[in-house]
Amino acid sequence: MSDGAVLHITGRVLVSAEDVRDEVWVVDGRVTFERPAGARDVRTVTGWVLPGLVDAHCHVGLDAHGAVDEATSEKQAVTDRDAGTLLIRDAGSAADTRWIDDREDLPRIIRAGRHIARTRRYIRNYAHEIEPGDLAAYVAAEARRGDGWVKLVGDWIDRERGDLAACWPGDALREAIAAAHAEGARVTAHCFAAESLPDLLAAGIDCVEHATGLTEELIPQFAARGVAIVPTLVNIATFPALAAGGEGRFPAWSAHMRRLHERRYDTVGAAHEAGIPVYVGTDAGGSLAHGLVADEVAELVKAGLSATEAVSAASWSARAWLGREGLTEGASADLVVYEADPRADVRVLAAPSLVVLRGRVVGP
């Protein structure tokens, strides 16, 4: 679509789960529901329209060994974009990807800075590895570097124990999360097990990634405090292979990981039923491929969310949670078009027929 052209999309425009309209226009890169006067160069397409999808747990600039170069980061971002993901909450990266903000053809990124982990308690080359006395200072620094989020590693394998264990004492967490909030940032934490969750809750955590350790006792507390979860079920699917690889050295950890995997759908379903906000995240980067947002939406349906609820977790509600516009009058035209209704069958999300970013057609 050339500069100055107008895009006219007819069909069903899903402004929200309840607000469905018959057409939308893209004029000068912006959404409008009013027919532009005097438009001459008009391209009309038909389909089901959603705001650009959201991957709320993604890592642009990382692979299994740490930071990657700009060419690799670009390829990751393009893969996400072509899958319809136009807004990414980057949940920790050792790479500086600020240059992406200058690229009109790449997704928008909300960064959580670099992971903050306990010394020798996370993936090598990923995180600031520190001790509890330095946690608040590092959190404050990453809050200033990021885009309103900070990412902690809440638990990881303790090799002496041979199992998952919490990384931080409660007093250090309280001071650190207060420091982030003072900077206007929210805090999220990687957590597999249950042990790390009570102290994080007491300290005022805003979100938990993976959250496989949620229990019947903890779920009501999460719901009461409005703490969101991003389950990354496509990542949790790798737990059996991880457990098999660690069986010889860490049998207790391996058994624990298998249990978490076995009850993953029940855990997410119970959290959702209790009213805990659930959002789509793939954990792309590291060892997982990019472009898996449709797969994660389908996983949430398996966990008990309705198709509409799962779509919302990757679109309307996710954008509202992250403070970004959707299909509203005058908003940037970041949208995806499909040939059928994703609320009827979420598998439709795997095959966008048109991807529009900042008012420009960028795919497929």
Side-chain angles (χ1 to χ4, degrees):
M1 193 169 71
S2 63
D3 290 342
V6 171
L7 180 63
H8 179 211
I9 309 173
T10 64
R12 308 302 284 164
V13 182
L14 305 176
V15 175
S16 70
E18 298 79 25
D19 185 355
V20 182
R21 308 191 190 185
D22 295 329
E23 61 182 353
V24 65
W25 302 78
V26 176
V27 181
D28 295 331
R30 299 284 170 179
V31 168
T32 182
F33 295 97
E34 298 181 5
R35 180 184 297 271
R40 295 181 180 178
D41 185 6
V42 178
R43 175 184 177 183
T44 300
V45 299
T46 300
W48 296 80
V49 185
L50 280 174
L53 300 184
V54 178
D55 188 337
H57 186 132
C58 189
H59 305 281
V60 175
L62 279 185
D63 68 9
H65 307 289
V68 298
D69 60 20
E70 289 191 3
T72 304
S73 298
E74 178 184 29
K75 184 177 180 181
Q76 293 172 341
V78 167
T79 299
D80 287 320
R81 180 202 71 192
D82 290 351
T85 298
L86 304 184
L87 178 62
I88 290 169
R89 185 184 61 148
D90 195 317
S93 180
D96 182 357
T97 60
R98 292 283 175 187
W99 57 273
I100 289 176
D101 294 347
D102 296 325
R103 289 280 299 270
E104 295 290 308
D105 60 330
L106 296 180
R108 302 176 191 274
I109 299 183
I110 298 170
R111 297 171 183 81
R114 190 170 184 174
H115 300 79
I116 303 174
R118 191 76 178 263
T119 307
R120 299 186 65 188
R121 294 283 303 280
Y122 198 49
I123 303 167
R124 186 177 299 176
N125 300 324
Y126 271 38
H128 296 298
E129 296 190 15
I130 62 169
E131 289 302 296
D134 295 322
L135 183 59
Y138 272 81
V139 163
E142 291 305 299
R144 291 189 287 268
R145 288 185 61 246
D147 299 315
W149 283 91
V150 177
K151 171 72 175 295
L152 305 180
V153 177
D155 63 31
W156 197 250
I157 188 169
D158 182 322
R159 289 168 177 78
E160 292 184 4
R161 182 191 291 191
D163 199 357
L164 295 168
C167 293
W168 311 103
D171 57 349
L173 287 171
R174 287 190 293 274
E175 183 182 3
I177 292 175
H181 290 167
E183 296 287 346
R186 290 182 278 183
V187 183
T188 192
H190 160 108
C191 296
F192 287 158
E195 179 183 310
S196 57
L197 298 178
D199 281 344
L200 286 164
L201 275 176
I205 196 75
D206 300 288
C207 178
V208 169
E209 312 299 312
H210 318 301
T212 44
L214 279 174
T215 63
E216 290 183 3
E217 294 76 23
L218 289 168
I219 284 173
Q221 298 177 51
F222 268 66
R225 294 171 183 259
V227 178
I229 64 170
V230 182
T232 69
L233 287 166
V234 291
N235 177 24
I236 307 310
T238 68
F239 278 17
L242 295 174
E247 185 78 53
R249 291 185 63 194
F250 305 113
W253 172 84
S254 295
H256 195 171
M257 296 291 278
R258 288 192 182 97
R259 292 194 302 273
L260 295 173
H261 175 263
E262 288 167 0
R263 68 173 193 247
R264 66 198 186 283
Y265 294 137
D266 290 340
T267 300
V268 175
H272 172 66
E273 187 175 348
I276 294 174
V278 178
Y279 300 107
V280 164
T282 66
D283 208 0
S287 60
L288 266 73
H290 286 255
L292 298 178
V293 67
D295 298 67
E296 182 66 16
V297 172
E299 284 289 283
L300 290 183
V301 172
K302 291 180 183 178
L305 278 70
S306 71
T308 298
E309 290 167 339
V311 169
S312 182
S315 59
W316 313 300
S317 62
R319 283 182 167 270
W321 179 57
L322 293 172
R324 296 300 188 269
E325 293 178 307
L327 296 175
T328 57
E329 183 71 31
S332 176
D334 298 352
L335 56 89
V336 192
V337 183
Y338 302 94
E339 294 183 355
D341 186 354
R343 300 171 303 172
D345 183 354
V346 298
R347 290 176 296 180
V348 169
L349 296 177
S353 59
L354 197 71
V355 179
V356 179
L357 177 60
R358 299 178 176 90
R360 297 173 55 197
V361 175
V362 293

